[in-house]
Amino acid sequence: MSLPRHFIARAGVAPVPVGSARPVHALDVLRLHHRHLVDEEWAVTVDPSGVLRLEPGSARGSLPSSVQVELSHHEVARGRPPRVLEASQVYLFDLQVMEQRVETPGPNDPVYLYGELHGPYPSGHPTSVQGQLTVTRADVLHGLLLGAAESFVLQGGENMRCFHALLPGDNEAAIRSGEGLVLAYPLMPAELVVTDASNTALVHELLYDLLAALQVDVRKEALRHPLVDRVLPVPSRAALESQLRAEGYQIKGDSAVRRRGAFSSSGSGSGGMLGAVWGALTAQKVALPPEGDTATFLELARESLKALPGWPDERSQALSTRVRQGPPLSSVTRIPAPPHVPPPPRPTTPPPRGPVRREPADWMRDFMGTHDAPGRSAPRVTSGTSGRSMPAKSASQAPSWMEDFQPQPTRQEPKPEPDSTAKKDRRPDWMKDFD
């Protein structure tokens, strides 16, 4: 397997051939244009084990009828032909974990993406390999903006979409020649992708973590940037309020008020990477940020890139030239749409609200260890897409963005020694507030 220059395969694990399992969902539609390729549409699909493939349009009739229905629905909903990638080949990347180092100087820090790379496509022998893709913070923001304009429309409502990021996997020269392009898809774990391919919540979390880290750096560097004075919206207001309630706050409208006598359960934690931004949550009353939607996060990303020093760079400009609008529908040979097939019944138990996560896999930690140095702070890790299982949720598995609002422990006065003869007060703490 020929790998992009900026992708490092997991040590000791050889690429494995991509199997031929039947896909369960369509994730994307595109056209590849190159002098050595037949001009036709291609569909990105995912199978029950989470493997991504690029299926030729000529094979569309052999795909499962439910996938054909998804492709037809997307075409009708979009109302325009798919984008064209000026490339001889592409790679598909199952983006599972994003790592941002805290102490790297400058606003456009390197970002390490972990997951499984599939390809290259088109190819008679595509393979899969786990590893690390190194890009920059601006690369990911730019890639998500490029991909958002062509997000795949799923059945079920406005938020039922599958987003992707077009990322540079190689240097400028390779990108300009149509090589090293990576289509990254943040996906739910495989057992959830079977029933739901939408990734809106995951993309919101990625965008928030990128923007929040960028906000820290532009303030630290004293740069003139729109994020300096901006209150960032959060991916989930409900999740934030739930966490604050667990830390001893009551939610009153757009404020959180600490209950009398309540102490943080977070011990001596540092309050998350952005404690300096929001301040330690020891105040009796804290203003809560709004919840952001897709349009809001994308507009913040667009504004942030526009004001970023040195952006766009030559590589990002080369990447942008690889994407163009497709030809008119009348000039494209279309494959007849399949007959309508009702979608499979939804499971009786509703899927969880928001990403399902676990700690990064051991092989990812091995990569992260190579970035460590004595005295350096722990990285900011976004792992909403990591893993292939559904563990029980715990406080340690909260999304990384919620660490920004982690309350600091208040100073606790020493308690007097209990009187062994006194009757033990078994009332809940909230009852004591009325004493």
Side-chain angles (χ1 to χ4, degrees):
M1 178 181 184
S2 176
L3 297 175
R5 181 189 301 260
H6 300 311
F7 182 85
I8 303 174
R10 175 185 174 187
V13 177
V16 298
V18 172
S20 57
R22 300 275 281 174
V24 293
H25 284 295
L27 305 178
D28 196 4
V29 180
L30 63 142
R31 300 181 72 86
L32 291 179
H33 183 266
H34 194 266
R35 62 183 181 275
H36 299 309
L37 296 177
V38 176
D39 187 18
E40 67 175 327
E41 287 189 7
W42 298 80
V44 179
T45 64
V46 61
D47 71 16
S49 62
V51 174
L52 304 176
R53 291 183 185 79
L54 198 63
E55 311 276 2
S58 58
R60 179 166 169 173
S62 64
L63 296 175
S65 54
S66 60
V67 175
Q68 295 184 51
V69 169
E70 290 178 333
L71 292 170
S72 296
H73 173 81
H74 169 75
E75 290 170 357
V76 173
R78 295 292 292 171
R80 66 173 189 240
R83 71 198 182 282
V84 176
L85 290 185
E86 301 278 357
S88 59
Q89 62 182 22
V90 296
Y91 295 87
L92 309 178
F93 186 55
D94 176 12
L95 199 171
Q96 299 175 11
V97 171
M98 178 177 70
E99 177 192 8
Q100 299 183 81
R101 303 304 305 189
V102 176
E103 297 170 348
T104 306
N108 192 18
D109 296 350
V111 173
Y112 307 102
L113 306 177
Y114 303 103
E116 192 162 351
L117 190 73
H118 309 278
Y121 288 100
S123 170
H125 305 284
T127 56
S128 299
V129 62
Q130 295 172 329
Q132 168 194 289
L133 177 65
T134 305
V135 289
T136 68
R137 185 180 289 154
D139 284 333
V140 184
L141 290 173
H142 182 232
L144 288 170
L145 285 171
L146 290 175
E150 301 292 339
S151 60
F152 192 82
V153 182
L154 297 161
Q155 301 178 78
E158 178 62 26
N159 289 328
M160 298 297 290
R161 291 175 178 260
C162 183
F163 292 85
H164 68 274
L166 177 60
L167 301 175
D170 216 308
N171 59 21
E172 179 199 351
I175 297 296
R176 289 195 181 278
S177 66
E179 299 177 353
L181 275 68
V182 178
L183 292 169
Y185 298 84
L187 299 176
M188 297 289 279
E191 59 271 30
L192 294 182
V193 169
V194 171
T195 58
D196 185 2
S198 63
N199 62 0
T200 305
L202 302 175
V203 171
H204 288 184
E205 188 173 324
L206 285 171
L207 286 168
Y208 176 88
D209 277 4
L210 288 163
L211 293 169
L214 177 59
Q215 185 180 62
V216 170
D217 284 347
V218 295
R219 288 175 172 176
K220 185 186 303 181
E221 301 283 337
L223 300 177
R224 295 185 61 183
H225 194 276
L227 287 183
V228 171
D229 300 318
R230 185 68 60 91
V231 175
L232 290 180
V234 294
S236 172
R237 176 71 173 263
L240 174 60
E241 291 179 1
S242 177
Q243 178 71 13
L244 288 171
R245 288 190 184 96
E247 297 293 343
Y249 283 84
Q250 291 179 317
I251 307 302
K252 297 183 177 181
D254 289 332
S255 299
V257 181
R258 182 179 290 279
R259 295 195 304 267
R260 188 177 66 178
F263 295 99
S264 170
S265 62
S266 58
S268 57
S270 63
M273 189 181 75
L274 300 186
V277 179
W278 294 98
L281 295 184
T282 56
Q284 291 301 310
K285 186 175 182 180
V286 179
L288 298 179
E291 179 173 296
D293 57 15
T294 304
T296 300
F297 282 118
L298 291 175
E299 183 57 31
L300 283 171
R302 190 173 290 107
E303 292 178 6
S304 298
L305 284 178
K306 186 177 180 180
L308 194 65
W311 186 266
D313 58 14
E314 293 182 350
R315 189 176 65 166
S316 67
Q317 291 176 327
L319 190 68
S320 296
T321 64
R322 297 293 91 196
V323 188
R324 62 179 173 85
Q325 185 61 46
L329 286 173
S330 59
S331 68
V332 179
T333 301
R334 310 294 293 177
I335 298 174
H340 175 70
V341 177
R346 294 270 181 181
T348 54
T349 56
R353 296 181 62 185
V356 175
R357 58 183 45 75
R358 69 177 181 185
E359 294 298 320
D362 289 342
W363 68 266
M364 297 179 186
R365 293 188 180 280
D366 292 339
F367 274 105
M368 294 177 186
T370 64
H371 311 147
D372 286 334
R376 294 190 68 178
S377 302
R380 183 185 188 97
V381 177
T382 309
S383 56
T385 61
S386 63
R388 292 296 178 208
S389 65
M390 292 196 309
K393 291 187 177 182
S394 67
S396 62
Q397 294 168 329
S400 58
W401 65 266
M402 290 180 61
E403 295 175 2
D404 301 345
F405 307 94
Q406 184 72 23
Q408 293 287 334
T410 55
R411 182 178 179 181
Q412 187 172 358
E413 297 297 330
K415 296 182 179 180
E417 291 296 326
D419 185 354
S420 60
T421 61
K423 184 178 179 180
K424 187 175 181 180
D425 190 347
R426 298 181 180 275
R427 295 179 300 162
D429 289 341
W430 66 268
M431 291 184 180
K432 301 173 186 176
D433 296 344
F434 294 95
D435 290 347

